[in-house]
Amino acid sequence: MRSIRTLAAGAVGIGATILIGGAALVAAVGTNGSFEAGTDPGALFTTESPASTNITGWTVDSGNIDYIGRYWTASDGARSID
């Protein structure tokens, strides 16, 4: 299971570091890498809290993330995180 750990504002990337086995990843990942599978975040977004598994294959490890639906255009697919 992958985890999403949020960082303070101004962090590198999209505001989250993706950790797998303790190593931070910069490149896209295989399983649900563009966050398409899981609970539909709707027209705007939902805020996911620690231990949330609403994004298939991912768990929010700490902090909160915004799971973006159609609020803006995703770089790949229709969903993204902030």
Side-chain angles (χ1 to χ4, degrees):
M1 184 70 66
R2 294 175 176 84
S3 65
I4 303 167
R5 181 177 307 240
T6 59
L7 300 176
V12 176
I14 58 173
T17 298
I18 299 171
L19 302 173
I20 298 178
L25 296 181
V26 176
V29 294
T31 303
N32 199 20
S34 61
F35 314 106
E36 301 304 307
T39 304
D40 184 355
L44 298 175
F45 63 88
T46 61
T47 300
E48 305 298 331
S49 300
S52 171
T53 57
N54 288 333
I55 306 170
T56 302
W58 297 86
T59 299
V60 177
D61 184 61
S62 66
N64 295 316
I65 63 153
D66 293 329
Y67 185 27
I68 311 296
R70 295 174 298 279
Y71 183 70
W72 59 51
T73 302
S75 65
D76 181 40
R79 299 177 183 176
S80 58
I81 61 171
D82 179 27

